[in-house]
Amino acid sequence: MASTKAARVGEEIWKTRVDKVNAELVTLTYGTMVAQLCSDFDNNYGEVNKQLDRMGYNIGMRLVEDFFAKSGVQRCANLRDTAETIAKIGFKMFLNITPTVANWSSDSKQFSLIFEENPLADFVELPDDGRAQDELWYSNILCGILRGALEMVQMQVEAHYVSDILRGSDTTEMRITLLRYIDDEMPPDDE
């Protein structure tokens, strides 16, 4: 799907087919959840990151159905089309943002999503304990969502942040790597 067409589709879906939720409510609820995880795991930010990723993975596995039902998007031809669809339709549809797809690897199996804005990070200050700035990936749930959603369309990926404005970087950048295409497999006794 061409980039400009994907952007138009994303905008149209956002305007007409998506139930809206107050962004501040989502932001504050997510912040409360992250704060609770930090408390539950005694500020073990590595474990908090894993939990956010795991939660996101489970959300992504279910969210992909809603994405296809509301967007009418057909299966993407390759990873480049998938990246544009994620950025211009998926993020627009669910968060009303459009990250930039950039930094493709030479083998076209890795790319970055550059976020100019991140509604999950509005009103956020990381804990001032000397470790959160270096260890906590506050929006890590988004990495899990992408992993779960893409696995449902037979793409095993790794997703991780390489920079975050909450950590003092100029931009927030998520790196996605295609590990493999998952073959449709029939259960052993299913013919």
Side-chain angles (χ1 to χ4, degrees):
M1 180 177 290
S3 180
T4 54
K5 182 180 178 195
R8 279 195 314 270
V9 169
E11 190 64 37
E12 179 64 24
I13 292 167
W14 173 254
K15 287 180 181 176
T16 61
R17 296 186 218 162
V18 176
D19 295 328
K20 312 295 188 296
V21 176
N22 183 299
E24 290 175 356
L25 175 65
V26 172
T27 300
L28 296 174
T29 303
Y30 182 74
T32 302
M33 182 184 69
V34 174
Q36 186 63 50
L37 284 172
C38 290
S39 174
D40 289 350
F41 292 102
D42 297 320
N43 292 338
N44 177 344
Y45 299 121
E47 189 57 38
V48 172
N49 292 335
K50 286 179 193 172
Q51 291 298 319
L52 290 171
D53 184 78
R54 187 174 296 135
M55 288 174 173
Y57 178 81
N58 290 326
I59 292 168
M61 290 181 77
R62 289 162 183 79
L63 204 60
V64 74
E65 293 174 20
D66 193 37
F67 171 79
F68 283 118
K70 289 182 179 171
S71 71
V73 171
Q74 299 299 311
R75 188 175 197 92
C76 295
N78 55 44
L79 188 60
R80 284 188 183 271
D81 283 349
T82 301
E84 291 294 328
T85 300
I86 289 167
K88 306 246 178 348
I89 301 174
F91 274 100
K92 183 68 176 181
M93 192 169 144
F94 294 110
L95 291 175
N96 194 25
I97 60 173
T98 307
T100 303
V101 178
N103 303 329
W104 281 95
S105 64
S106 59
D107 63 359
S108 294
K109 290 187 177 186
Q110 292 183 359
F111 64 93
S112 293
L113 293 174
I114 311 292
F115 297 85
E116 297 295 322
E117 55 186 325
N118 178 357
L120 294 181
D122 288 346
F123 317 116
V124 173
E125 290 183 26
L126 294 180
D128 190 19
D129 63 0
R131 293 181 21 249
Q133 291 281 84
D134 297 328
E135 298 175 21
L136 178 63
W137 293 107
Y138 183 81
S139 300
N140 212 44
I141 198 166
L142 296 177
C143 292
I145 289 172
L146 285 181
R147 281 190 328 101
L150 290 173
E151 188 167 304
M152 295 306 291
V153 293
Q154 281 72 42
M155 299 175 96
Q156 184 179 16
V157 299
E158 177 187 289
H160 64 278
Y161 283 99
V162 293
S163 65
D164 191 342
I165 37 178
L166 290 176
R167 289 178 155 201
S169 301
D170 293 333
T171 62
T172 298
E173 178 179 348
M174 181 191 301
R175 191 81 179 146
I176 294 93
T177 303
L178 175 66
L179 300 176
R180 69 184 182 103
Y181 288 100
I182 301 169
D183 295 327
D184 281 332
E185 297 175 2
M186 298 294 285
D189 294 336
D190 217 21
E191 307 238 359

